[in-house]
Amino acid sequence: MRLNRKAGQEAARDGKAWAPAALGGGNYSILRKCEERPDAEQVLKIPCDDAFSVIVQLRDFASHRLWRGGRLVYDGGHARQSMSIAYLGDEVRCQHRAAYDNLRFILPRAAMNELLYEEGVPRPVAFDRVTGQVDPVVYHLAQALLPALGMPGQASQLFVDQVMLALCTHLNARYGEAPAPRESARGLAGWQLRRAQELIANHLSDGLSVARLAQECALSRSHFTRAFKLSTGLSPHDWLLRMRVEKAKELMRDTSLCLSQIGLDCGFADQSHFSRVFLRLAGMSPANWRRFQRLER
C-alpha cells in the first residue's frame, strides 16, 4: 500500500472543530473528524463509490441516523470503541445529531481484492454491513494511528502500512465473505532476510513501503510482514527504528555533527522524535549517550 501524506488545519468556526490531519493514498484514506455542534437537521449524502467505509468512534456519539438506498436503517447512538462498516455503493446518507469524534477508513474494493488475491483468496471482497459493533481489535488499530494523524510529518510509511494490513486482514477474517488467508508459520529464507535488511539499511533517511520490501522478496505484503517478524523478532518498522538508532550512535561516536543534524540524517522527523526513540531503545538520551562514550574514551 502506498502512503501519501496530507495535513491541514482548520480553525474552529460556526461552532465546529475539525480534525487536524488526514492520511491517504491511491489504496486507502484515513481521516479523523469531529464536531462539537453539528447541524442536527442537515442530511449528508455520501458520494457513491465501490469502496467500504469503516468508522471507529473515539467518544460516545449520542444520536445518529443512517439511510441506505433511501431507507432509514439506523436511528440511535454509538458507544465509544464501537465501529461500523458501510458499503458506499448503497447510496448512503447520514445525519449527525450530536457531538462526535471518529476515525474513518475508506477502503476501495479493488485495493482489498488485490491484497487478498496476494494471499490466495480469489473471491471478490464483500464485508458485512455492521452498525455499532464493539470490536477491540479495530479500535486499538485506530488508536495506534492517532499519533500519525496528529503529526503527519513524523508518520512512518512502514508503520502505517503494517497497521492497514492488520486492519484489512482482521476485517476479512471477521466480517468478510471470502475465506481468511492461511497463516504461514515460516520465516524468511536467508536470501530474503538479507535482501530486506539491506534495503532497510539503504533507506534509513527516507524509508520505504512494505510493498517494496515484499516485492523484492517475492512475497505478498502480509506474508512478508509475518515472516520478517518470525525471522527477526521485530516488525519491519521496529527494525528500521533500531537501524536508525545504530546509525545515529555511529555518527555520534565518529563525528562532531550536532544531535539535531544526526537525527535528520538518520531519518527522524526532528530532534524531539530522535530523542524519544533513542531513549526508548538505548535507555538514555542521545546527549547522555554521547557524553558517556567520550568519557569511556
Side-chain angles (χ1 to χ4, degrees):
M1 292 185 176
R2 181 173 59 87
L3 168 68
N4 290 329
R5 298 184 180 88
K6 179 181 68 176
Q9 184 148 11
E10 299 183 26
R13 63 179 187 274
D14 301 329
K16 300 179 180 180
W18 298 92
L23 298 172
N27 295 311
Y28 61 84
S29 62
I30 311 164
L31 172 69
R32 182 177 182 178
K33 190 174 181 183
C34 57
E35 287 187 276
E36 288 298 329
R37 294 189 296 276
D39 182 349
E41 301 304 317
Q42 183 182 18
V43 177
L44 303 172
K45 184 175 181 180
I46 311 302
C48 282
D49 196 4
D50 189 15
F52 297 93
S53 171
V54 180
I55 300 182
V56 183
Q57 302 300 330
L58 303 177
R59 63 183 281 189
D60 290 337
F61 187 6
S63 183
H64 179 246
R65 286 178 177 172
L66 178 71
W67 288 264
R68 266 200 307 263
R71 184 169 65 92
L72 181 66
V73 294
Y74 186 78
D75 186 355
H78 300 286
R80 176 177 171 270
Q81 300 190 28
S82 66
M83 55 82 68
S84 302
I85 303 175
Y87 175 58
L88 299 185
D90 286 341
E91 297 181 16
V92 178
R93 293 183 297 151
C94 64
Q95 195 173 22
H96 300 139
R97 298 166 59 84
Y100 67 90
D101 183 3
N102 58 45
L103 194 66
R104 308 173 181 204
F105 301 91
I106 304 300
L107 309 173
R109 189 198 297 269
M112 299 301 97
N113 287 344
E114 179 185 352
L115 171 65
L116 293 177
Y117 183 78
E118 290 178 358
E119 299 304 306
V121 178
R123 195 179 308 169
V125 171
F127 294 144
D128 296 334
R129 277 62 163 175
V130 175
T131 303
Q133 173 76 43
V134 175
D135 188 321
V137 173
V138 174
Y139 178 74
H140 286 103
L141 289 172
Q143 285 283 317
L145 288 171
L146 293 183
L149 282 160
M151 297 179 290
Q154 295 184 12
S156 162
Q157 184 165 339
L158 274 179
F159 176 72
V160 177
D161 281 352
Q162 288 170 207
V163 173
M164 293 303 296
L165 284 169
L167 174 70
C168 295
T169 301
H170 172 74
L171 290 174
N172 177 65
R174 182 160 182 182
Y175 307 104
E177 296 177 7
R182 291 176 293 180
E183 293 285 329
S184 171
R186 298 176 59 185
L188 296 174
W191 73 267
Q192 292 171 320
L193 181 58
R194 288 190 297 273
R195 181 59 180 150
Q197 291 174 335
E198 177 186 74
L199 275 172
I200 292 173
N202 289 336
H203 290 81
L204 291 181
S205 60
D206 55 347
L208 71 170
S209 66
V210 169
R212 170 75 188 285
L213 289 167
Q215 181 182 30
E216 291 287 337
C217 293
L219 296 173
S220 71
R221 288 167 283 187
S222 57
H223 185 180
F224 167 79
T225 302
R226 292 192 299 268
F228 187 93
K229 188 164 187 177
L230 282 171
S231 295
T232 66
L234 298 170
S235 69
H237 174 65
D238 287 338
W239 184 272
L240 171 67
L241 291 180
R242 287 185 180 274
M243 292 302 97
R244 284 176 172 173
V245 166
E246 290 305 312
K247 178 63 175 178
K249 287 180 178 179
E250 178 183 326
L251 291 175
M252 284 191 290
R253 188 171 50 241
D254 300 336
T255 76
S256 59
L257 290 171
C258 66
L259 294 180
S260 59
Q261 185 60 51
I262 288 174
L264 292 175
D265 289 347
C266 293
F268 295 100
D270 52 35
Q271 188 168 351
S272 174
H273 184 214
F274 171 41
S275 297
R276 190 166 60 251
V277 174
F278 193 96
L279 177 62
R280 177 166 61 85
L281 297 182
M284 64 179 71
S285 70
N288 286 340
W289 189 91
R290 176 178 251 180
R291 190 178 302 113
F292 181 78
Q293 291 298 310
R294 288 172 176 172
L295 289 173
E296 285 290 299
R297 290 183 180 182

XYZ file of all heavy atoms in Angstrom, residues 31 90 136 158 170 279:
49
model
N -9.121 9.418 7.906
C -9.471 10.774 8.311
C -10.059 10.767 9.711
O -10.930 9.950 10.019
C -10.498 11.370 7.347
C -11.117 12.718 7.739
C -10.079 13.825 7.658
C -12.313 13.029 6.862
N -24.120 1.795 -1.672
C -25.500 1.625 -1.207
C -26.284 2.936 -1.143
O -27.356 2.964 -0.528
C -25.505 0.995 0.200
C -25.161 -0.486 0.177
O -25.278 -1.108 -0.883
O -24.772 -1.005 1.247
N -12.662 -4.626 19.762
C -11.423 -4.119 20.372
C -10.241 -4.090 19.414
O -9.377 -3.207 19.517
C -11.176 -5.083 21.542
C -12.508 -5.672 21.840
C -13.211 -5.765 20.519
N 6.241 2.549 6.772
C 6.240 1.136 7.158
C 5.208 0.879 8.251
O 4.470 -0.105 8.209
C 7.625 0.710 7.652
C 8.639 0.252 6.608
C 9.958 -0.099 7.284
C 8.121 -0.945 5.825
N -7.947 -8.462 9.451
C -8.927 -8.704 10.513
C -10.354 -8.522 9.992
O -11.240 -9.342 10.293
C -8.670 -7.743 11.679
C -9.744 -7.798 12.731
N -9.867 -8.849 13.623
C -10.771 -6.938 13.023
C -10.897 -8.637 14.418
N -11.462 -7.495 14.078
N 15.902 7.209 23.364
C 15.756 6.915 24.792
C 15.062 5.570 25.004
O 15.474 4.765 25.854
C 14.960 8.025 25.468
C 14.641 7.841 26.959
C 15.911 7.783 27.784
C 13.728 8.968 27.447
